[in-house]
Amino acid sequence: MSAQYTATAKALHWGIAVLIFGMLGLGFYMTGLSLSPTKLQLYSWHKWAGVTLFLLVVLRLAWRFAHRPPALPRHMAPIERFAAHAGHHLLYVLMFAIPLTGWLMSSAKGFQTVWFGVVPIPDLLDKDKALGDLLQTVHLSLNFALIAVLLGHVGAALKHHFIDKDDVLTRMLPHRLH
Amino acid sequence: MKRIALALLSTLALATVAHAAEYNQVQADKSRIAFSYQQMGVSMDGSFKNFSSQLRFDPAAPEAAAAAIEVELASIDTGSDEGDEEAAAKTWFNTKDFPQARFESTAVKALGGNRYEVAGKLTIKGTTRDVVVPATFAQQGDAGVFDGSLTIKRGDFSVGEGAWKAFDIVANDVEIKFHITATAR
Ligand code: HEM
Ligand code: HEM
């Protein structure tokens, strides 16, 4: 039996994955609402959860720097290895950049982020409507990029499991699932 | 001798009259009306782009001062277009039926130093309330600058009805801040 991801790596991977799927749904849902107290509430929750996610991602990156993941299966071609590594790097970059642009957008729009209504996150940018609108477009574009990379990521995981029949998916799954 | 004294006295009197400037020409481009409030614990602010004001104020006779300010509510700047539209709607200011908010002073009291208390009537959305506004006055070159703020409860004026009526998302307290510059004619 080959190496598994550590329990910490698994917990962070799946915890963050669930949060990100929730954030994508919430983000697209809330922006479509017309202005109401509910909308303002959802925006605040999105920002609070986003900041929480960002902290988890920082934790995950720190963990990742200190721990090597299990090696890829031997059957993979160089191009497949390259795609796997590039895809994972891109996911890390997006996980980091999306909440960052969300926070900067909020700063530029003049809506400070106060984590759970308690901890004020400093505004790095001064109020600037044009910059706020630009960062909103960046936040949205990065989210589209994330969805595209995730489709490839999930597709690859399923291909490993059902076509290659290797352990790439199971070594990331919680222990009792396999 | 008597004559000289009289002449001196009259020039002195004239001089004091000339000094007792009455500030009554409001400089719209150097005046500002802003507001701030809490939204889910976060401080938010905005301003009104258009308002007109008349005032007369003589530091030597503050009790005789008077002020009237009319704010074009549709000129609100909340920081987002969506917010501006919502503020003009029926549930907030209902600018269609109540385009302006108005403040009219009824009495001015000097508190000593450069501090004053302006009592008056504030009308927003068809509701009039008595308010007392603390203000300061400062001379800057040949202009007089008035600064002050007043915290009102939006609920008192039915600003924010329907779904907005609860204060858990948008707080009841709204601080109105003004900065008005006037010159003497
Ligand atoms: C990984 C974390 C995040 C994800 C996946 C995410 C995802 C999204 C998505 C999909 C949208 C809808 C895009 C649109 O239609 O314009 C959105 C909008 C938004 N996000 Fe995030 N977001 C994240 C973190 C954050 C953070 C940390 C903040 C702020 C502190 C934030 C602030 C916003 C705001 C203010 C909007 C609304 C923009 C608008 O008014 O159109 N987001 N987000
Ligand atoms: C928002 C969602 C997701 C994000 C951001 C994400 C991100 C990542 C990243 C960065 C890695 C690389 C870990 C490393 O070796 O450093 C990884 C590995 C992995 N992910 Fe995801 N993932 C997400 C969702 C999913 C989903 C839904 C699946 C299942 C179909 C999945 C299956 C896997 C598998 C099997 C691995 C291990 C790859 C290997 O063994 O080399 N991921 N994920």
Side-chain angles (χ1 to χ4, degrees):
Chain A
M1 192 192 135
S2 61
Q4 287 273 314
Y5 273 93
T6 61
T8 312
K10 289 180 185 177
L12 284 168
H13 176 270
W14 292 108
I16 288 171
V18 166
L19 276 171
I20 285 185
F21 287 125
M23 288 293 282
L24 286 170
L26 178 57
F28 287 121
Y29 173 70
M30 69 180 196
T31 45
L33 296 175
S34 57
L35 191 54
S36 66
T38 309
K39 179 171 184 167
L40 294 180
Q41 183 130 51
L42 293 180
Y43 267 54
S44 289
W45 287 348
H46 179 85
K47 290 161 73 169
W48 298 347
V51 172
T52 311
L53 230 162
F54 181 77
L55 297 177
L56 285 173
V57 169
V58 170
L59 202 74
R60 180 170 178 187
L61 284 171
W63 177 268
R64 177 65 175 78
F65 279 122
H67 299 79
R68 278 189 78 80
L72 291 172
R74 239 165 281 144
H75 70 77
M76 285 173 72
I79 179 82
E80 292 175 320
R81 289 168 187 276
F82 172 78
H85 288 137
H88 291 164
H89 275 99
L90 210 51
L91 285 171
Y92 282 124
V93 169
L94 290 168
M95 275 189 272
F96 191 79
I98 289 172
L100 205 62
T101 54
W103 163 59
L104 290 173
M105 165 199 352
S106 295
S107 281
K109 287 184 176 226
F111 302 123
Q112 199 190 8
T113 304
V114 181
W115 198 31
F116 295 108
V118 179
V119 185
I121 317 280
D123 279 333
L124 191 69
L125 297 174
D126 285 334
K127 197 165 169 172
D128 178 341
K129 200 166 187 313
L131 185 60
D133 290 343
L134 174 69
L135 284 165
Q136 181 181 329
T137 308
V138 174
H139 193 65
L140 175 65
S141 311
L142 291 180
N143 272 298
F144 282 139
L146 174 67
I147 292 169
V149 181
L150 276 177
L151 285 175
H153 183 68
V154 173
L158 297 179
K159 172 187 178 280
H160 278 286
H161 192 69
F162 292 109
I163 295 175
D164 302 333
K165 298 197 191 313
D166 59 24
D167 66 347
V168 163
L169 177 60
T170 51
R171 68 191 192 169
M172 183 50 105
L173 290 177
H175 209 67
R176 54 193 134 70
L177 286 186
H178 54 90
Chain B
M1 196 56 202
K2 209 173 168 187
R3 266 201 164 165
I4 296 174
L6 254 176
L8 261 177
L9 261 176
S10 53
T11 35
L12 248 174
L14 266 177
T16 36
V17 168
H19 254 283
E22 185 186 81
Y23 296 93
N24 50 22
Q25 301 291 304
V26 175
Q27 311 285 294
D29 55 327
K30 289 177 191 140
S31 303
R32 196 177 139 76
I33 293 181
F35 57 87
S36 61
Y37 60 98
Q38 296 272 318
Q39 183 179 301
M40 291 184 83
V42 182
S43 232
M44 310 283 283
D45 50 27
S47 63
F48 291 99
K49 288 186 215 119
N50 301 329
F51 58 92
S52 62
S53 47
Q54 297 90 44
L55 72 88
R56 53 191 162 77
F57 176 84
D58 177 349
E63 301 76 21
I69 300 175
E70 224 156 56
V71 177
E72 293 299 330
L73 295 171
S75 75
I76 194 170
D77 179 3
T78 59
S80 76
D81 297 341
E82 205 179 21
D84 296 351
E85 272 165 38
E86 187 70 21
K90 245 190 160 77
T91 45
W92 288 93
F93 287 127
N94 189 3
T95 55
K96 223 160 139 200
D97 294 336
F98 305 101
Q100 283 119 7
R102 186 175 167 79
F103 171 78
E104 203 168 343
S105 69
T106 49
V108 177
K109 202 162 88 187
L111 298 178
N114 63 345
R115 296 184 310 117
Y116 299 89
E117 217 173 64
V118 185
K121 294 193 178 299
L122 179 64
T123 307
I124 305 173
K125 210 178 179 182
T127 302
T128 302
R129 296 234 163 201
D130 289 317
V131 293
V132 175
V133 187
T136 60
F137 168 77
Q139 209 156 335
Q140 280 178 13
D142 56 359
V145 178
F146 303 85
D147 276 294
S149 74
L150 165 71
T151 299
I152 61 165
K153 304 228 178 279
R154 65 180 178 90
D156 289 352
F157 299 91
S158 316
V159 173
E161 293 178 89
W164 297 103
K165 201 165 173 162
F167 303 124
D168 52 347
I169 306 289
V170 179
N172 195 8
D173 283 0
V174 180
E175 189 188 11
I176 304 169
K177 288 172 280 193
F178 61 87
H179 174 87
I180 293 173
T181 306
T183 54
R185 199 196 299 271

